[in-house]
Amino acid sequence: DQQVKQNSPSLSVQEGRISILNCDYTNSMFDYFLWYKKYPAEGPTFLISISSIKDKNEDGRFTVFLNKSAKHLSLHIVPSQPGDSAVYFCAASSTSNDYKLSFGAGTTVTVRA
Amino acid sequence: NAGVTQTPKFHILKTGQSMTLQCAQDMNHGYMSWYRQDPGMGLRLIYYSAAAGTTDKEVPNGYNVSRLNTEDFPLRLVSAAPSQTSVYLCASRLQGANFGQFFGPGTRLTVL
């Protein structure tokens, strides 16, 4: 039972443009959301997170938006750079479940020069 | 700090064989986890440990773990099956911390 869903397996974007990655979740107990970035043959690395008490968090070129009523979050990358080409995983956790992470299937982003 | 290290990087097993995947971290993190990554499935939690001496599993049989100390969290495949072909990722974090986990580079395991 996939509680976190990333419905777009891949995204291709031109360098300098905006990348928008989407994520939906079903468990209303989730109260913390994270994005991870993964390059081939490496482990995922933490990118950005957001608490359920906020609706936006920004870190440089990366912004995460949370819409709790829609159980939806998105990651915006502006501007996209070739080094952003990677797999991006959305993850969610719950204070009541000891912060165990539930992951989406991932979105492969390709930034074209 | 080396962070989270995993060995081996690659391995091929035959059905029925057993194998231990090693994971170690040097950040004094209390919480450690094992995930498997499969195409189209994302990362799925297999086992986790909140502290040395405690473990809990998330998926049915086929795997076993031990947490004898803070640093090491080996994952054992008792009798390997082709369905266990996957990339296995180990992760650690501070106990109770809510800013994500640190992952190792993974072990790519193929069961023939």
Side-chain angles (χ1 to χ4, degrees):
Chain A
D1 178 27
Q2 198 99 8
Q3 298 184 74
V4 179
K5 297 180 182 178
Q6 295 175 256
N7 292 321
S8 297
S10 62
L11 172 69
S12 180
V13 63
Q14 192 152 16
E15 182 178 2
R17 306 294 290 266
I18 184 172
S19 295
I20 300 177
L21 290 76
N22 293 303
C23 178
D24 297 294
Y25 62 96
T26 58
N27 189 340
S28 58
M29 296 298 294
F30 287 146
D31 54 15
Y32 208 78
F33 305 89
L34 309 93
W35 286 92
Y36 281 83
K37 179 179 180 178
K38 186 181 184 301
Y39 292 117
E42 294 183 11
T45 55
F46 169 73
L47 190 58
I48 192 170
S49 64
I50 188 168
S51 164
S52 60
I53 63 173
K54 295 187 174 182
D55 54 20
K56 177 182 174 181
N57 188 27
E58 202 170 344
D59 183 3
R61 296 185 297 113
F62 303 92
T63 303
V64 56
F65 296 92
L66 175 63
N67 183 334
K68 280 183 62 180
S69 60
K71 293 191 176 67
H72 177 84
L73 63 155
S74 61
L75 174 68
H76 292 208
I77 307 173
V78 184
S80 300
Q81 299 175 352
D84 296 331
S85 295
V87 179
Y88 290 79
F89 291 101
C90 173
S93 67
S94 166
T95 309
S96 62
N97 198 22
D98 201 17
Y99 304 117
K100 283 187 278 184
L101 291 176
S102 295
F103 282 86
T107 297
T108 300
V109 173
T110 303
V111 180
R112 309 185 310 271
Chain B
N1 283 356
V4 180
T5 57
Q6 291 184 241
T7 55
K9 288 187 175 167
F10 306 94
H11 198 79
I12 299 175
L13 272 180
K14 292 183 179 177
T15 297
Q17 289 183 327
S18 62
M19 165 118 194
T20 298
L21 309 185
Q22 301 293 340
C23 173
Q25 53 92 8
D26 61 359
M27 297 173 282
N28 202 30
H29 287 173
Y31 199 109
M32 296 186 75
S33 306
W34 275 103
Y35 296 84
R36 58 177 289 175
Q37 182 193 357
D38 301 294
M41 300 291 291
L43 279 68
R44 291 181 288 167
L45 183 63
I46 302 172
Y47 255 107
Y48 69 96
S49 166
T54 69
T55 62
D56 202 352
K57 66 179 176 182
E58 288 289 304
V59 299
N61 300 327
Y63 304 95
N64 211 342
V65 295
S66 60
R67 186 83 185 277
L68 301 180
N69 55 53
T70 300
E71 295 78 23
D72 301 295
F73 192 40
L75 176 72
R76 182 167 177 81
L77 281 73
V78 179
S79 177
S83 61
Q84 294 177 305
T85 293
S86 186
V87 175
Y88 290 87
L89 294 160
C90 181
S92 74
R93 65 168 168 83
L94 290 169
Q95 190 167 359
N98 200 19
F99 42 81
Q101 305 190 50
F102 292 83
F103 282 87
T107 294
R108 182 174 294 275
L109 183 69
T110 301
V111 183
L112 302 175

